Amino acid sequence: MVYYQKMTPEGYQKIKDEIADLKKDRPRRIKILQEARSLGDLSENTEYTEAKRDLGHLQSRLRYLDKQLKYAEIVEKTDDGKVDLGKTVTLKFAGDDEVEEYRIVGRMEADLDEGKVAFDSPLGQAIMKQKAKTTVTVAAPAGEYQVTIIKVD
C-alpha cells in the first residue's frame, strides 16, 4: 500500500521551488568539492571532508523532496463550509477571550509560527470536516481542551 502525502497546491509549489534552488546550488557545491580535493592528502583535508558532507546533505535533501512530490496528493479547496485542507479557520479556545486564525495544511507545510496547522495534528483532526459554530474537544498529548470554530473560509 502506498501512502500519499496530502498537501495544498501552495505546499507542492514550495517543494518544487526548493528543489529548483537546490539544483541551482549543486554545481557550486561540486566545484567546491573539486577544489578541496585538489588540495592534496584527503585523509587530513578538512575542506574536502566538509565539502563532501555538504554535497551529500544536498543530494539527500533532493531525494527526500523528490519522494515528497512523487507521493503527493494535492487537495484543492472546496466551498462546502467545512474545515478542510487549504482552508483558513478562526478558532476560539475555551478559557481564552481572543480568537486565532489558522490555515489547515499538509504535514510537510505545518508551521505554527506562520499560523499553519497540519490536518492530522490533534487540533487538525478534531476540527476537520466540522462547520462554523461547532465546539469540539481536542485530545492532545498534554490533555484535552475545547475549541469553538468561529469561521471557516
Side-chain angles (χ1 to χ4, degrees):
M1 182 175 134
V2 175
Y3 174 73
Y4 288 96
Q5 181 74 30
K6 291 184 179 188
M7 64 179 64
T8 63
E10 296 83 6
Y12 188 85
Q13 186 60 48
K14 188 174 178 181
I15 292 173
K16 284 177 65 174
D17 293 344
E18 185 178 348
I19 288 172
D21 290 344
L22 290 171
K23 284 183 176 179
K24 279 186 214 169
D25 190 37
R26 187 171 29 194
R28 182 183 69 82
R29 302 266 181 118
I30 290 170
K31 186 177 180 190
I32 290 170
L33 180 66
Q34 290 169 340
E35 289 171 359
R37 184 183 192 107
S38 70
L39 295 175
D41 185 10
L42 299 183
S43 64
E44 295 181 17
N45 187 333
T46 306
E47 291 86 359
Y48 174 77
T49 304
E50 287 178 10
K52 186 175 175 184
R53 184 195 67 227
D54 289 347
L55 183 60
H57 287 311
L58 182 140
Q59 299 286 74
S60 177
R61 181 73 177 159
L62 277 171
R63 283 190 302 275
Y64 174 76
L65 293 172
D66 280 335
K67 190 178 285 189
Q68 295 303 311
L69 291 185
K70 182 178 179 181
Y71 295 108
E73 177 186 340
I74 300 172
V75 179
E76 299 287 342
K77 274 197 289 190
T78 59
D79 198 18
D80 59 3
K82 294 180 181 178
V83 177
D84 207 347
L85 220 66
K87 294 189 178 179
T88 301
V89 295
T90 305
L91 304 175
K92 185 175 185 301
F93 292 83
D96 191 356
D97 293 333
E98 295 185 31
V99 295
E100 296 185 35
E101 195 172 89
Y102 294 101
R103 181 135 192 262
I104 307 302
V105 296
R107 183 179 301 144
M108 290 287 300
E109 306 167 71
D111 186 342
L112 280 178
D113 292 337
E114 292 183 18
K116 296 178 180 180
V117 174
F119 75 96
D120 59 353
S121 67
L123 175 60
Q125 288 177 353
I127 64 175
M128 283 296 286
K129 306 299 181 190
Q130 301 293 327
K131 291 188 173 202
K133 310 291 186 239
T134 304
T135 300
V136 297
T137 300
V138 180
E144 292 185 345
Y145 59 92
Q146 300 260 308
V147 174
T148 300
I149 302 166
I150 304 298
K151 186 168 84 173
V152 179
D153 289 322

